[in-house]
């Protein structure tokens, strides 16, 4: 039997390469712009920066959740609830010493 990598594994590799390239490009741009740890610390002490660092990831998370909820709802194939299993009654018969 032939073994092949799944498409999900290949797409993950693409995302890993792309994200590494973006982080590297960001580091190069920061070095060219002259951003040093001292200037970054000065920038991070400002209240607006602190609010942005908290709110931007939170906003992205909320938008992603809304996107997924809308995608599932618009697909129209919500998972059906499993019917309640009814237990069948067995005919009771007294055992020795009962009834």
């Amino acid at each position: 039997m032939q073994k092949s990598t799944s498409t999900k594994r290949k797409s993950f590799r693409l995302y890993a390469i792309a994200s590494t390239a973006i982080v590297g490009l960001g580091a190069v741009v920061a070095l060219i712009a002259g951003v040093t740890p001292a200037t970054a610390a000065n920038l991070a002490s400002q209240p607006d920066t602190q609010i942005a660092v908290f709110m931007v990831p939170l906003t992205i998370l909320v938008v992603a959740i809304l996107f997924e909820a809308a995608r599932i709802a618009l697909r129209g194939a919500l998972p059906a609830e499993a019917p309640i299993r009814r237990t069948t009654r067995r005919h009771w018969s007294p055992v020795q010493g009962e009834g």
Side-chain angles (χ1 to χ4, degrees):
M1 176 177 276
Q2 178 182 2
K3 291 184 180 180
S4 64
T5 55
S6 66
T7 56
K8 289 183 181 181
R9 188 69 161 159
K10 290 179 184 177
S11 64
F12 176 74
R13 184 178 300 152
L14 177 65
Y15 290 133
I17 292 171
S19 62
T20 303
I22 289 171
V23 168
L25 183 65
V28 168
V29 168
L31 286 174
I32 292 173
V35 177
T36 62
T39 58
N42 187 21
L43 182 65
S45 66
Q46 298 176 1
D48 291 338
T49 306
Q50 294 174 356
I51 292 170
V53 165
F54 173 72
M55 288 302 297
V56 169
L58 185 63
T59 305
I60 292 170
L61 177 64
V62 169
V63 169
I65 291 172
L66 289 174
F67 173 77
E68 286 296 320
R71 186 178 65 87
I72 291 171
L74 292 177
R75 187 180 342 153
L78 293 175
E81 291 185 19
I84 298 173
R85 297 177 79 185
R86 300 192 71 148
T87 57
T88 56
R89 293 186 178 191
R90 308 241 184 252
H91 295 291
W92 179 81
S93 60
V95 293
Q96 193 176 26
E98 287 185 346

